[in-house]
Amino acid sequence: MAKYRKKIVAGNWKMNLSIAEATELASSVARGLAEVREVDVVLCPPFTALGAVGDAISGGSIKLGAQNMYWEKDGAFTGEISAAMLRGLFCRYVILGHSERRTHFGDTDEVVNRKVRTALESSLEPIVCVGESLEQREAGETNEVLEAQLRASLADLGADYGKVIVAYEPVWAIGSGLTAAPAQAQDAHAWIRSVVGEIAGSEVADSLRIQYGGSVKADNARELMSQADVDGALVGGASLESRSFVEIVRAGVPND
Ligand code: 13P
């Protein structure tokens, strides 16, 4: 029998919202989802709003995530944030290797791997992003690119593979309004699961949760998340509006 995997939907707010705006959005999402327990929900505000959003959702089932972190424990790393600092703000998750970090800030697979290992050592659950560019897809290199990113980003995690979440975010679908067709997403997710099976064994692969990200909206979320290997969503733009995010989460409720 196929393994049941609880869906996980995360809102990546990127570099948006003041503390006041973030608090209001988090409170509104929490109200909208007060009765929803069938989906794991994560909010990932910018660092500046982690404390306030943590307060706004405390006592409920929504969890807090960060958008990045550095791998060193402490020291002279101006501008960086450590895993312990995120734990101190009650973060449970951290997004690592987002394509915007890879493109604009030079996060290589090796950098992502160091961060992933540090996150796991610090009891943070990493959401590790992989995805191909349009050029790579058109050249027929999608599987190869995903495999290389996974093998390097998830190298040497020892007993911790079971705590990793992978987000498949085709770069061409991020913020573009172009969503992967459900079958395209399913193909990529099935491939990711098989590669993780080779890296970490079939038990880990069977329970691995793989989110889809890239122009997820209220009107396409249900079909995407109904694919066999799509276990949730990583939502950018549509997570900045309470109503659309709540609808996306509800689309992940089984048989809703
Ligand atoms: P959009 O939903 O705005 O396309 O962003 C996706 C994303 O990058 C989530 O991490």
Side-chain angles (χ1 to χ4, degrees):
M1 213 182 77
K3 170 105 188 154
Y4 173 73
R5 295 180 293 267
K6 188 176 183 183
K7 297 235 181 324
I8 177 163
V9 175
N12 175 8
W13 294 356
K14 307 192 180 182
M15 196 176 74
N16 291 296
L17 307 181
S18 66
I19 294 176
E21 290 164 339
T23 306
E24 195 182 315
L25 177 57
S27 305
S28 171
V29 168
R31 278 195 303 276
L33 295 173
E35 266 109 67
V36 176
R37 292 283 179 281
E38 302 90 336
V39 175
D40 286 332
V41 180
V42 186
L43 297 180
C44 304
F47 291 132
T48 46
L50 281 170
V53 169
D55 288 344
I57 61 177
S58 76
S61 60
I62 298 177
K63 300 291 188 294
L64 194 60
Q67 300 173 17
N68 183 36
M69 51 159 257
Y70 194 52
W71 64 76
E72 292 285 355
K73 278 195 175 58
D74 49 37
F77 302 103
T78 301
E80 293 296 330
I81 304 270
S82 74
M85 291 169 184
L86 297 181
R87 292 287 299 163
L89 287 161
F90 305 105
C91 282
R92 172 157 168 184
Y93 299 93
V94 60
I95 299 170
L96 295 173
H98 191 282
S99 75
E100 287 149 19
R101 300 251 12 129
R102 293 174 184 265
T103 306
H104 303 304
F105 304 101
D107 283 16
T108 61
D109 287 326
E110 289 65 36
V111 163
V112 176
N113 181 244
R114 292 182 83 155
K115 293 182 176 184
V116 169
R117 282 189 279 139
T118 305
L120 290 166
E121 281 160 19
S122 312
S123 301
L124 287 165
E125 295 177 42
I127 298 175
V128 182
C129 303
V130 294
E132 80 288 359
S133 66
L134 187 58
E135 225 175 21
Q136 291 165 331
R137 174 162 281 270
E138 286 175 344
E141 294 166 3
T142 298
N143 285 1
E144 205 179 307
V145 168
L146 295 177
E147 177 164 3
Q149 288 177 335
L150 289 165
R151 286 193 183 277
S153 306
L154 303 182
D156 303 324
L157 305 188
D160 283 337
Y161 279 103
K163 295 177 191 139
V164 172
I165 292 158
V166 171
Y168 169 58
E169 296 210 313
V171 178
W172 48 272
I174 296 176
S176 63
L178 293 173
T179 317
Q184 275 177 329
Q186 168 56 27
D187 285 351
H189 283 227
W191 173 250
I192 288 168
R193 197 176 303 288
S194 74
V195 171
V196 170
E198 283 177 22
I199 300 171
S202 61
E203 209 168 305
V204 168
D206 282 351
S207 45
L208 174 75
R209 294 192 290 180
I210 308 171
Q211 298 175 311
Y212 169 79
S215 299
V216 175
K217 307 284 178 225
D219 61 6
N220 60 26
R222 187 178 301 271
E223 204 185 347
L224 284 162
M225 285 193 276
S226 68
Q227 303 300 307
D229 288 290
V230 179
D231 310 307
L234 182 53
V235 188
S239 71
L240 292 171
E241 211 246 317
S242 173
R243 230 173 60 179
S244 57
F245 186 67
V246 165
E247 268 186 62
I248 291 168
V249 172
R250 288 187 181 280
V253 174
N255 303 317
D256 192 37

